[in-house]
Amino acid sequence: MTVKIFDTPEVHDFLKTVAGFEQEGGSDRAKQIVHRLLSDLYRLIDDFDVTPEEFWATVSLMNELGKASQFGLLSPGLGFDHYLDMRMDAVDAEAERTGGTPRTIEGPLYVAGAPEAEGFARMDDGSDADSEVMWLTGQVRNLDGEPVPGARVEIWHANAKGGYSHFDPSQSEYNLRRTIIADDEGRYRARSIIPSGYGVPAGSPTDKVLKALGRHGQRPAHIHYFISAPGHQHLTTQINLAGDPYTWDDFAFATREELLVDGRAVNDSAEAEARGLEGPFTEVVFDITLARTAAPELQTRHKRPRALEEAAG
Ligand code: MBD
Ligand code: FE
Protein backbone atom coordinates (compact mmCIF):
# COMPACT_ATOMS: atom_id res chain seq x y z
CA MET A 1 0.00 0.00 0.00
CA THR A 2 1.47 3.34 -0.98
CA VAL A 3 0.06 6.73 -0.20
CA LYS A 4 1.25 10.04 -1.62
CA ILE A 5 0.48 12.98 0.63
CA PHE A 6 3.56 15.17 0.17
CA ASP A 7 2.16 17.37 -2.56
CA THR A 8 -0.91 18.55 -0.67
CA PRO A 9 -1.57 22.05 0.65
CA GLU A 10 -1.85 20.59 4.13
CA VAL A 11 1.72 19.19 4.10
CA HIS A 12 3.17 22.28 2.41
CA ASP A 13 1.57 24.54 5.01
CA PHE A 14 2.69 22.23 7.80
CA LEU A 15 6.33 22.44 6.60
CA LYS A 16 6.21 26.24 6.68
CA THR A 17 4.93 26.15 10.25
CA VAL A 18 7.57 23.61 11.32
CA ALA A 19 10.37 25.67 9.73
CA GLY A 20 9.31 28.75 11.69
CA PHE A 21 8.18 30.81 8.68
CA GLU A 22 5.37 32.26 10.76
CA GLN A 23 7.71 33.42 13.54
CA GLU A 24 9.48 36.76 13.87
CA GLY A 25 12.57 35.49 15.64
CA GLY A 26 15.30 33.08 14.63
CA SER A 27 17.55 33.08 11.59
CA ASP A 28 16.23 33.39 8.05
CA ARG A 29 19.00 31.18 6.73
CA ALA A 30 18.24 28.47 9.30
CA LYS A 31 14.55 28.63 8.35
CA GLN A 32 15.29 28.33 4.62
CA ILE A 33 17.71 25.46 5.06
CA VAL A 34 15.58 23.53 7.55
CA HIS A 35 12.54 24.03 5.32
CA ARG A 36 14.39 22.60 2.33
CA LEU A 37 15.92 19.74 4.33
CA LEU A 38 12.61 18.71 5.90
CA SER A 39 10.81 19.01 2.57
CA ASP A 40 13.33 16.67 0.95
CA LEU A 41 13.05 14.20 3.82
CA TYR A 42 9.24 14.28 3.98
CA ARG A 43 9.15 13.66 0.24
CA LEU A 44 11.64 10.82 0.61
CA ILE A 45 9.44 9.21 3.29
CA ASP A 46 6.50 9.39 0.91
CA ASP A 47 8.42 8.16 -2.16
CA PHE A 48 10.15 5.25 -0.40
CA ASP A 49 7.20 4.48 1.82
CA VAL A 50 9.47 4.64 4.86
CA THR A 51 7.90 2.65 7.71
CA PRO A 52 7.71 3.82 11.32
CA GLU A 53 10.09 0.95 12.20
CA GLU A 54 12.67 2.25 9.70
CA PHE A 55 12.23 5.82 10.85
CA TRP A 56 12.73 5.06 14.56
CA ALA A 57 15.65 2.73 13.87
CA THR A 58 17.30 5.70 12.12
CA VAL A 59 16.60 8.01 15.06
CA SER A 60 18.20 5.45 17.34
CA LEU A 61 21.24 5.12 15.04
CA MET A 62 21.69 8.90 15.06
CA ASN A 63 21.57 8.89 18.85
CA GLU A 64 24.28 6.22 18.82
CA LEU A 65 26.38 8.27 16.39
CA GLY A 66 26.13 11.32 18.64
CA LYS A 67 26.84 9.37 21.80
CA ALA A 68 30.01 7.98 20.19
CA SER A 69 30.97 11.44 18.78
CA GLN A 70 31.00 9.81 15.34
CA PHE A 71 29.18 12.28 13.12
CA GLY A 72 32.62 13.70 12.28
CA LEU A 73 33.71 10.20 11.26
CA LEU A 74 30.62 9.32 9.26
CA SER A 75 30.87 12.66 7.46
CA PRO A 76 33.96 11.76 5.36
CA GLY A 77 32.51 8.26 4.87
CA LEU A 78 29.46 9.82 3.25
CA GLY A 79 31.69 12.01 1.10
CA PHE A 80 30.73 15.35 2.65
CA ASP A 81 34.35 16.34 3.44
CA HIS A 82 35.48 15.55 -0.09
CA TYR A 83 32.46 17.32 -1.54
CA LEU A 84 33.38 20.49 0.41
CA ASP A 85 36.90 20.15 -1.04
CA MET A 86 35.48 19.88 -4.55
CA ARG A 87 33.54 23.08 -3.92
CA MET A 88 36.59 24.92 -2.54
CA ASP A 89 38.62 23.69 -5.55
CA ALA A 90 35.94 25.11 -7.85
CA VAL A 91 35.99 28.45 -6.00
CA ASP A 92 39.81 28.56 -6.31
CA ALA A 93 39.65 27.68 -10.01
CA GLU A 94 37.13 30.45 -10.65
CA ALA A 95 39.39 32.95 -8.84
CA GLU A 96 42.38 31.58 -10.82
CA ARG A 97 44.11 30.41 -7.66
CA THR A 98 45.52 27.24 -9.16
CA GLY A 99 48.82 25.41 -9.42
CA GLY A 100 49.74 24.83 -5.77
CA THR A 101 49.78 21.53 -3.90
CA PRO A 102 46.20 20.26 -3.86
CA ARG A 103 44.09 20.24 -0.72
CA THR A 104 42.45 17.21 0.75
CA ILE A 105 40.27 16.69 3.80
CA GLU A 106 41.27 17.44 7.40
CA GLY A 107 39.37 14.53 8.91
CA PRO A 108 38.09 14.32 12.50
CA LEU A 109 41.30 13.47 14.37
CA TYR A 110 43.26 16.73 14.53
CA VAL A 111 44.18 18.01 17.99
CA ALA A 112 45.23 21.64 18.51
CA GLY A 113 48.27 22.68 20.50
CA ALA A 114 50.93 20.19 19.37
CA PRO A 115 54.52 21.02 20.42
CA GLU A 116 56.36 23.42 18.12
CA ALA A 117 59.91 23.01 16.91
CA GLU A 118 62.27 24.90 14.61
CA GLY A 119 63.32 23.02 11.46
CA PHE A 120 63.27 19.54 12.95
CA ALA A 121 61.12 17.50 15.32
CA ARG A 122 61.06 13.98 16.53
CA MET A 123 57.37 13.09 16.45
CA ASP A 124 57.25 9.65 18.08
CA ASP A 125 57.81 9.15 21.80
CA GLY A 126 60.16 6.21 21.24
CA SER A 127 57.82 3.71 22.90
CA ASP A 128 57.35 1.65 19.72
CA ALA A 129 60.70 0.10 18.94
CA ASP A 130 59.21 -2.38 16.43
CA SER A 131 57.97 0.22 13.97
CA GLU A 132 59.86 1.33 10.90
CA VAL A 133 61.66 4.63 11.37
CA MET A 134 60.32 7.32 9.03
CA TRP A 135 62.39 10.31 7.94
CA LEU A 136 59.83 12.82 6.70
CA THR A 137 61.08 15.93 4.97
CA GLY A 138 60.38 18.49 2.30
CA GLN A 139 60.56 22.08 1.20
CA VAL A 140 57.84 24.70 1.18
CA ARG A 141 57.96 26.92 -1.91
CA ASN A 142 55.75 29.44 -3.64
CA LEU A 143 54.39 29.10 -7.17
CA ASP A 144 57.57 30.71 -8.55
CA GLY A 145 59.65 27.99 -6.92
CA GLU A 146 61.08 30.31 -4.26
CA PRO A 147 61.41 28.90 -0.73
CA VAL A 148 59.02 30.08 1.99
CA PRO A 149 61.21 30.48 5.09
CA GLY A 150 59.43 30.14 8.43
CA ALA A 151 56.36 28.38 7.02
CA ARG A 152 54.35 26.57 9.72
CA VAL A 153 54.14 22.88 8.90
CA GLU A 154 51.80 21.04 11.22
CA ILE A 155 51.84 17.26 10.87
CA TRP A 156 49.78 14.51 12.49
CA HIS A 157 49.46 10.81 11.76
CA ALA A 158 48.53 7.41 13.17
CA ASN A 159 50.82 4.86 14.79
CA ALA A 160 51.55 1.39 13.40
CA LYS A 161 48.16 0.19 14.65
CA GLY A 162 46.27 2.99 12.91
CA GLY A 163 45.55 4.81 16.19
CA TYR A 164 45.85 8.57 16.83
CA SER A 165 47.07 10.01 20.12
CA HIS A 166 44.40 11.79 22.21
CA PHE A 167 41.69 9.54 20.71
CA ASP A 168 43.70 6.38 21.49
CA PRO A 169 44.32 6.44 25.26
CA SER A 170 47.23 3.99 24.96
CA GLN A 171 49.40 6.73 23.41
CA SER A 172 51.24 9.57 25.13
CA GLU A 173 50.01 13.15 24.81
CA TYR A 174 50.70 14.62 21.33
CA ASN A 175 52.48 11.48 20.17
CA LEU A 176 52.91 11.74 16.37
CA ARG A 177 51.70 15.36 16.35
CA ARG A 178 54.08 18.29 15.83
CA THR A 179 54.29 21.79 14.39
CA ILE A 180 57.59 22.41 12.60
CA ILE A 181 58.65 25.91 11.62
CA ALA A 182 60.46 25.60 8.28
CA ASP A 183 64.07 26.80 8.17
CA ASP A 184 65.57 29.65 6.09
CA GLU A 185 65.26 27.49 2.96
CA GLY A 186 61.66 26.55 3.70
CA ARG A 187 62.70 23.03 4.70
CA TYR A 188 61.16 20.88 7.41
CA ARG A 189 62.44 17.58 8.77
CA ALA A 190 60.85 15.05 11.06
CA ARG A 191 61.82 11.75 12.55
CA SER A 192 58.79 9.55 13.17
CA ILE A 193 57.45 6.05 12.57
CA ILE A 194 55.69 4.77 9.45
CA PRO A 195 51.93 4.95 10.08
CA SER A 196 49.41 2.26 9.24
CA GLY A 197 46.03 2.86 7.69
CA TYR A 198 43.03 3.66 9.86
CA GLY A 199 39.93 1.51 10.24
CA VAL A 200 36.52 2.63 11.55
CA PRO A 201 35.93 0.76 14.86
CA ALA A 202 34.18 -2.55 14.14
CA GLY A 203 30.58 -2.59 15.32
CA SER A 204 30.49 1.18 15.83
CA PRO A 205 27.51 3.17 14.53
CA THR A 206 29.61 4.49 11.61
CA ASP A 207 30.54 0.89 10.77
CA LYS A 208 26.82 -0.03 10.80
CA VAL A 209 26.03 2.67 8.23
CA LEU A 210 28.92 1.63 5.98
CA LYS A 211 27.96 -2.08 6.27
CA ALA A 212 24.40 -1.24 5.23
CA LEU A 213 25.92 0.24 2.06
CA GLY A 214 28.12 -2.82 1.49
CA ARG A 215 31.19 -0.66 2.19
CA HIS A 216 34.23 -0.90 4.45
CA GLY A 217 35.69 1.75 6.77
CA GLN A 218 39.37 1.51 5.86
CA ARG A 219 41.78 4.29 4.99
CA PRO A 220 45.21 3.82 3.39
CA ALA A 221 48.32 4.85 5.37
CA HIS A 222 48.42 8.66 5.30
CA ILE A 223 49.96 11.72 6.96
CA HIS A 224 48.00 14.91 7.62
CA TYR A 225 49.33 18.45 7.06
CA PHE A 226 48.33 22.03 7.73
CA ILE A 227 50.76 24.42 6.02
CA SER A 228 50.62 28.18 6.41
CA ALA A 229 52.77 31.28 5.98
CA PRO A 230 51.99 35.00 5.99
CA GLY A 231 50.96 36.14 2.49
CA HIS A 232 50.16 32.59 1.38
CA GLN A 233 47.01 30.52 1.12
CA HIS A 234 46.54 28.10 4.01
CA LEU A 235 46.69 24.49 2.87
CA THR A 236 44.99 21.50 4.50
CA THR A 237 46.21 18.30 2.91
CA GLN A 238 47.48 14.74 3.38
CA ILE A 239 49.94 12.44 1.69
CA ASN A 240 49.38 8.76 1.08
CA LEU A 241 52.21 6.28 1.28
CA ALA A 242 52.18 4.54 -2.10
CA GLY A 243 51.59 0.80 -2.33
CA ASP A 244 48.77 0.56 0.21
CA PRO A 245 45.93 -1.74 -0.96
CA TYR A 246 43.41 0.94 0.07
CA THR A 247 45.10 3.76 -1.88
CA TRP A 248 42.22 4.03 -4.34
CA ASP A 249 39.65 2.49 -2.01
CA ASP A 250 39.71 5.04 0.83
CA PHE A 251 36.42 5.12 2.77
CA ALA A 252 37.02 8.88 3.28
CA PHE A 253 37.71 9.64 -0.43
CA ALA A 254 40.82 11.72 0.32
CA THR A 255 43.35 10.20 -2.12
CA ARG A 256 44.70 12.38 -4.91
CA GLU A 257 47.27 11.33 -7.50
CA GLU A 258 49.49 14.38 -6.73
CA LEU A 259 49.56 13.42 -3.04
CA LEU A 260 50.87 9.87 -3.47
CA VAL A 261 54.40 9.56 -2.13
CA ASP A 262 56.76 6.63 -2.55
CA GLY A 263 58.79 5.92 0.56
CA ARG A 264 62.47 5.15 -0.12
CA ALA A 265 63.85 2.30 2.00
CA VAL A 266 67.40 3.18 3.09
CA ASN A 267 69.85 0.63 4.46
CA ASP A 268 72.99 2.69 4.05
CA SER A 269 74.59 3.50 7.41
CA ALA A 270 76.21 6.70 6.12
CA GLU A 271 72.79 8.02 5.09
CA ALA A 272 71.40 7.04 8.48
CA GLU A 273 74.27 8.73 10.32
CA ALA A 274 73.85 11.90 8.28
CA ARG A 275 70.33 12.15 9.74
CA GLY A 276 71.31 11.16 13.25
CA LEU A 277 69.63 7.75 12.88
CA GLU A 278 71.02 4.45 14.07
CA GLY A 279 69.70 1.97 11.51
CA PRO A 280 67.59 1.40 8.42
CA PHE A 281 64.80 3.87 7.78
CA THR A 282 62.26 4.91 5.16
CA GLU A 283 62.58 8.38 3.72
CA VAL A 284 59.37 10.14 2.74
CA VAL A 285 59.76 13.42 0.85
CA PHE A 286 56.85 15.81 0.46
CA ASP A 287 57.52 19.22 -1.05
CA ILE A 288 54.72 21.75 -0.78
CA THR A 289 53.79 24.59 -3.11
CA LEU A 290 51.73 27.42 -1.62
CA ALA A 291 49.82 30.02 -3.61
CA ARG A 292 50.28 33.66 -2.63
CA THR A 293 47.30 35.63 -1.39
CA ALA A 294 46.77 39.00 0.27
CA ALA A 295 43.35 37.99 1.64
CA PRO A 296 43.66 37.30 5.39
CA GLU A 297 40.70 34.89 5.41
CA LEU A 298 42.53 32.61 2.95
CA GLN A 299 45.68 32.53 5.10
CA THR A 300 44.19 30.58 8.01
CA ARG A 301 42.40 27.27 8.33
CA HIS A 302 38.65 27.54 8.35
CA LYS A 303 36.89 27.54 11.67
CA ARG A 304 35.46 24.28 12.96
CA PRO A 305 35.22 22.72 16.38
CA ARG A 306 38.52 20.90 16.97
CA ALA A 307 39.88 18.94 19.93
CA LEU A 308 41.62 21.22 22.47
CA GLU A 309 41.09 24.31 20.30
CA GLU A 310 39.34 27.20 22.02
CA ALA A 311 36.16 28.11 20.21
CA ALA A 312 36.80 31.39 18.38
CA GLY A 313 34.23 33.91 17.31
C1 MBD B 1 41.25 9.28 9.81
O1 MBD B 1 42.53 9.11 10.19
C2 MBD B 1 41.01 10.22 8.88
O2 MBD B 1 42.05 10.91 8.44
C3 MBD B 1 39.72 10.43 8.42
C4 MBD B 1 39.46 11.42 7.35
C5 MBD B 1 38.67 9.69 8.91
C6 MBD B 1 38.92 8.76 9.87
C7 MBD B 1 40.20 8.55 10.31
FE1 FE C 1 43.85 10.42 9.41
Side-chain angles (χ1 to χ4, degrees):
M1 180 212 61
T2 56
V3 296
K4 292 277 182 253
I5 64 161
F6 182 78
D7 270 319
T8 59
E10 215 183 323
V11 171
H12 286 206
D13 289 346
F14 181 52
L15 276 162
K16 288 180 185 150
T17 304
V18 173
F21 283 7
E22 293 146 1
Q23 305 304 318
E24 287 290 322
S27 141
D28 276 341
R29 184 166 168 81
K31 290 179 191 189
Q32 294 296 331
I33 290 175
V34 168
H35 181 263
R36 167 68 167 273
L37 179 66
L38 294 181
S39 297
D40 288 354
L41 290 175
Y42 282 24
R43 187 203 299 278
L44 176 158
I45 289 171
D46 229 22
D47 287 351
F48 287 83
D49 221 350
V50 170
T51 65
E53 286 80 2
E54 288 172 324
F55 179 82
W56 294 112
T58 305
V59 168
S60 173
L61 179 60
M62 291 198 289
N63 276 335
E64 270 188 71
L65 281 162
K67 202 169 162 190
S69 298
Q70 283 193 356
F71 273 106
L73 181 60
L74 181 60
S75 168
L78 295 183
F80 285 108
D81 305 38
H82 183 61
Y83 184 60
L84 294 179
D85 275 353
M86 291 165 77
R87 286 180 43 81
M88 289 188 277
D89 286 352
V91 169
D92 281 348
E94 195 159 278
E96 296 180 17
R97 286 191 301 267
T98 53
T101 302
R103 64 164 56 82
T104 197
I105 72 172
E106 173 179 332
L109 303 176
Y110 173 77
V111 178
E116 260 182 59
E118 301 275 341
F120 168 85
R122 178 163 180 180
M123 298 181 65
D124 66 298
D125 63 10
S127 64
D128 182 2
D130 299 333
S131 285
E132 261 177 275
V133 173
M134 173 169 73
W135 185 259
L136 176 62
T137 183
Q139 188 181 28
V140 185
R141 293 186 286 253
N142 65 25
L143 281 170
D144 297 323
E146 298 156 348
V148 182
R152 277 180 77 85
V153 181
E154 187 157 10
I155 305 172
W156 70 103
H157 66 81
N159 68 5
K161 293 177 180 153
Y164 283 80
S165 65
H166 184 86
F167 303 96
D168 165 11
S170 81
Q171 293 186 50
S172 62
E173 198 183 23
Y174 290 116
N175 192 36
L176 313 180
R177 302 177 182 275
R178 289 293 182 278
T179 296
I180 304 172
I181 309 300
D183 69 13
D184 293 346
E185 295 179 336
R187 295 185 194 279
Y188 70 94
R189 298 168 189 82
R191 172 187 173 159
S192 198
I193 56 173
I194 292 282
S196 291
Y198 168 93
V200 167
S204 69
T206 300
D207 189 42
K208 285 183 194 170
V209 176
L210 295 171
K211 286 255 158 60
L213 303 177
R215 293 178 47 199
H216 63 71
Q218 301 298 317
R219 295 210 63 206
H222 61 279
I223 299 165
H224 295 267
Y225 283 78
F226 284 148
I227 307 107
S228 61
H232 295 79
Q233 190 169 351
H234 179 276
L235 178 65
T236 298
T237 196
Q238 305 178 25
I239 52 173
N240 284 340
L241 304 180
D244 192 298
Y246 290 106
T247 299
W248 294 107
D249 190 18
D250 176 7
F251 101 96
F253 307 105
T255 307
R256 299 183 78 147
E257 191 73 54
E258 307 92 312
L259 301 173
L260 274 177
V261 177
D262 254 312
R264 181 176 68 100
V266 183
N267 272 302
D268 182 74
S269 56
E271 282 210 54
E273 248 171 73
R275 292 165 180 79
L277 305 173
E278 299 82 44
F281 64 97
T282 298
E283 183 171 67
V284 176
V285 179
F286 180 47
D287 295 325
I288 297 140
T289 307
L290 295 182
R292 281 202 194 83
T293 180
E297 69 278 10
L298 295 177
Q299 297 183 24
T300 56
R301 60 192 184 212
H302 58 248
K303 258 192 276 175
R304 71 180 260 188
R306 295 181 172 92
L308 303 187
E309 186 167 67
E310 307 90 76

